[in-house]
Amino acid sequence: MSRSARKSNLQPLEKKPTGISGFDEITGGGLPAGRPSLICGEAGAGKTLFSIEFIVRGAIEFKEPGVIVIFEEQAADLEKNVASLGFDLKKLQKDNMLWIDHVHIDRSEIEETGEYDLDGLFIRIGHAIDSIGAKRVMLDTIENLFGGLSNEGILRAELRRLFGWLKNKGVTTIITGERGQGTFTRQGLEEYVSDCVILLEHRVTNQISTRLLRVVKYRGSLHGTNEYPFLIDEEGISVLPVTSLGLDNAVSSQRISTGILSLDSMFSGNGLFRGSSCLVSGTAGTGKTSIAAYFAEASCNRRERCLYFAFEESPKQIVRNMGSIGIDLKRHMDAGLLEIHSLRPTLHGLEMHLVAIHRAVKKFKPRMVIVDPITNLVTIGSMSEVKSMLIRLIDFLQGEGITVLFTALVYDKDATVQTDEGISSLVDTWLLVRDIEANGERNRGIYIMKSRGTKHSNQVREFVINDTGLELVDVYLGPDGILIGSAREAQQLSEVTGLELRHYAKSRKDREVERKRMVLESKIATLKEEFESVRDELNKTFVEEDLKNEIMEKNRDELTKTRNTRNSSHGKRK
């Protein structure tokens, strides 16, 4: 039979979802259905809470009634302890979705006679299961049940009988066990007869606590084998399943604005790719947080949610400080588009911070996440640990299609290489903001170290922060190279002054030309007048001569005519 044919005939193991955030993803669906699972760990690791959440969420979210059998706490104490998580055990019992039974075990009454059995317990659990039609069972803790037995043979036999009986009842069981010396449980046998073993640990390193979960074994199923951080808060347990960069996330070709138009122009006027990662690094006071605030405002102006994690300033400080450069973040917070989470890095371990960010993102569903600054995380972990944590964060956010902006403090003002956290090679875009000292003053310069898949400027731009906001000043070339700050302003003033002088000289020349033109035109008019006078004088002589000739000719005609008339009269008289 071929491998593909064998695969098609395989029946996957049926699983029961726990409803615990992240855990079902790690295990590929939850705990093995109809089988017992062991939750082990030291005191305070969260075994009881994990088990109760499995039962309660099963009743609430999956409509599967559950039975809780406890050997230490009273039912009333258990109800009070989990009320802070929002679990109303009394109501679930009233609705016949939950049965709580406290079983008292007196170890002094247990004797190793070989006749020790669990028939009484089976009767009580069976009655509880049948009474509400339970699908899930919790036993807390198994040490109290077998603490009086030292005979390993009897103990192993009774364990197998207990687990076999639970399987026959068809219920999915979760059993808690305290960790022993060099073993997962005190007896060291429970992990061998359990189908699934979950180890919970609570580590404290450098006075920072971290909770971790590991699936030690899972019969009949593939599962994650790494250590996964988990968080316990008012919403219960959250497990972070992201462990490594999968490099198979979908990408977007859409471009989004940074909120700074002059910065967008350095990316061919289009800004960054949606869902990409960006790092802004620089020395103290170079404006990294101000740039982050512009990214946040641009996201909110697009009516897209932004989640801001601040490790140095409180939300009120950020709102006040950004108001001085014309950014009103409070209106976006009031509109529900911006959330600022401020906390000191030392509050949690690195993994716990990762879980907290993961949960906040899942709850708020932002399109942009800002972490400011990542450098402070070095105080609670080594650089390699911080890098590992940030890789996981980038992987998670890119998998969600979320654009992320990191800020990082650079201690060496001349550093143009990889940042201390070592993620500059992982991000898609890297902006470097630097101090430029010249002419006895300190100015800012910004340039793009890299931007994957984007045509971008290679120029160093002067970065100006004033009351109206941020502005990238165009590159200004003077006689001796690039000018910044007061030197640029002085050169610009000098050029403006020279331009005014040239304009004045040109105006004066134009006026002089105009005056000369008017003088020449006046002379020309005078000469025309003289010419007209001379011409008129000359014409006068010719006109008088013609008139004289005309008169003389006329007179001759008159005389001739008179003479002829006289001759005619004289002939008639004769």
Side-chain angles (χ1 to χ4, degrees), residues 44-57:
K47 302 181 297 297
T48 301
L49 177 59
F50 187 99
S51 304
I52 289 177
E53 191 162 352
F54 168 72
I55 298 295
V56 172
R57 294 198 182 279

Side-chain angles (χ1 to χ4, degrees), residues 226-237:
N226 296 317
E227 289 185 331
Y228 302 90
F230 70 94
L231 178 67
I232 298 177
D233 59 12
E234 65 279 0
E235 297 182 10
I237 292 178

Side-chain angles (χ1 to χ4, degrees), residues 443-499:
N443 297 288
R444 301 177 180 90
I446 186 171
Y447 57 95
I448 303 172
M449 288 290 290
K450 74 169 186 178
S451 186
R452 292 172 179 159
T454 305
K455 182 181 178 181
H456 56 276
S457 172
N458 63 349
Q459 293 180 331
V460 178
R461 304 285 293 273
E462 186 178 353
F463 181 41
V464 179
I465 302 178
N466 51 40
D467 294 342
T468 59
L470 310 185
E471 182 182 1
L472 272 61
V473 181
D474 290 335
V475 175
Y476 197 86
L477 293 176
D480 300 323
I482 296 177
L483 301 178
I484 60 173
S486 60
R488 170 180 52 78
E489 293 176 355
Q491 181 65 24
Q492 288 177 331
L493 180 60
S494 176
E495 292 189 359
V496 170
T497 302
L499 183 62

Side-chain angles (χ1 to χ4, degrees), residues 9 19 423 509 555:
N9 291 331
I423 68 162
K509 184 183 294 183
N555 290 334

Side-chain angles (χ1 to χ4, degrees), residues 289-362:
T289 300
S290 298
I291 294 175
Y294 263 87
F295 272 70
E297 186 179 48
S299 176
C300 296
N301 287 338
R302 292 191 297 269
R303 307 301 298 172
E304 296 173 358
R305 292 182 176 183
C306 177
L307 194 56
Y308 194 125
F309 295 95
F311 294 132
E312 289 183 337
E313 300 175 280
S314 68
K316 291 182 179 180
Q317 282 180 299
I318 295 174
V319 170
R320 180 200 64 190
N321 295 343
M322 293 306 103
S324 66
I325 60 174
I327 300 178
D328 185 4
L329 295 180
K330 188 176 185 303
R331 65 186 179 93
H332 298 309
M333 297 173 68
D334 294 340
L337 294 171
L338 175 65
E339 276 192 5
I340 301 179
H341 293 253
S342 295
L343 65 164
R344 291 294 182 187
T346 51
L347 181 64
H348 300 304
L350 285 174
E351 302 294 352
M352 297 297 284
H353 278 294
L354 188 57
V355 174
I357 294 174
H358 186 279
R359 166 171 280 188
V361 169
K362 286 291 187 181

